[in-house]
Amino acid sequence: MPREIFCTNHPLLTRREVPGDPFDCLPQGCRVTLAGGKSIHLLIVSNTDRGSFIGGADRDWVNLLNAIGPGRYRVTWVGNRCSEELRKHVDERVLIRTIDLPHPCFYDLAPDNAYRPKSKWLWTKIIVSISLALTRSSIQLRRALRDDPVDLVLTNTSVVLLGASFAKLMRRPHVWNVKEYLDPRLKACRRFANLITRLSSAVVVPSRVIGDAFNSGALVIPDGGDVEKIKSSV
């Protein structure tokens, strides 16, 4: 059995109004019900690239999967590399498969990069390059999961695009869990937020500030952070 060695304030884990299944707080279009009590095959797509170091987004979902426990969900986790290391920390009855599949990550609007000027020509090169790579990765992922189709796709960070691309290809519900701040004052960020919304059955953000770029199109589930407690501990 895995050890719960991480701390988390993941919004879907800390939402008290949903004591059972955290996905029940999502819109109807994201809910999957299978006949005969079958488990739902959840695909989580991340930018995992170092199994020995588990970043914030991955850490939160490791804890969340352990909190959900076996029974209703079985999970396939896709990362860039070293995803197998996550199996040490997640119940093997929940995380049934990891796949290392190199796929493009969109860091150009990550908080620091968003403020660096880019010409139209540079944006064109970025978009074309990512689009071609996404097509290849989506086809490879479809082949890898041919014998075990997924029911629901979840992307756990804004920089990962493969989840949305694969969900569209397979016509599956897609939930985009955005943790990064997209500055609504920047036109590129607003356009990206609109794209995220169009490619998702639901967008989940941990605060109203992060949700500003989505024009009320995101589901805000606070991450449980206590500002006063943080201030007092500094």
Side-chain angles (χ1 to χ4, degrees), residues 201-217:
S201 305
V203 178
V204 178
V205 296
S207 71
R208 289 189 297 272
V209 172
I210 294 180
D212 283 347
F214 296 91
N215 294 323
S216 302

Side-chain angles (χ1 to χ4, degrees), residues 13-26:
L13 181 59
T14 57
R15 186 174 172 85
R16 296 182 180 179
E17 302 96 302
V18 190
D21 188 333
F23 289 96
D24 286 344
C25 65
L26 299 177

Side-chain angles (χ1 to χ4, degrees), residues 102-214:
H103 56 274
C105 292
F106 185 57
Y107 292 106
D108 298 276
L109 290 179
D112 293 333
N113 295 333
Y115 301 100
R116 295 174 182 170
K118 301 176 184 66
S119 66
K120 291 183 178 180
W121 169 240
L122 179 56
W123 273 122
T124 300
K125 290 177 62 177
I126 291 171
I127 293 171
V128 170
S129 175
I130 287 179
S131 298
L132 292 174
L134 270 180
T135 299
R136 291 192 296 268
S137 300
S138 297
I139 293 174
Q140 291 172 340
L141 185 54
R142 181 175 64 177
R143 290 172 180 168
L145 295 171
R146 180 183 302 160
D147 297 327
D148 191 12
V150 303
D151 303 300
L152 176 65
V153 182
L154 183 138
T155 298
N156 75 343
T157 170
S158 65
V159 303
V160 171
L161 307 176
L162 178 59
S165 175
F166 179 75
K168 186 174 182 61
L169 177 66
M170 303 305 295
R171 298 182 180 180
R172 293 293 186 270
H174 175 244
V175 178
W176 209 319
N177 189 189
V178 177
K179 297 174 66 69
E180 297 80 10
Y181 177 64
L182 298 175
D183 192 337
R185 296 171 299 178
L186 301 180
K187 184 177 181 179
C189 287
R190 294 196 303 272
R191 286 185 171 181
F192 186 43
N194 289 335
L195 178 65
I196 288 175
T197 302
R198 291 200 306 270
L199 294 177
S200 304
S201 305
V203 178
V204 178
V205 296
S207 71
R208 289 189 297 272
V209 172
I210 294 180
D212 283 347
F214 296 91

Side-chain angles (χ1 to χ4, degrees), residues 12 30-31 128 135 180 188 227:
L12 292 181
C30 304
R31 301 180 193 176
V128 170
T135 299
E180 297 80 10
V227 176

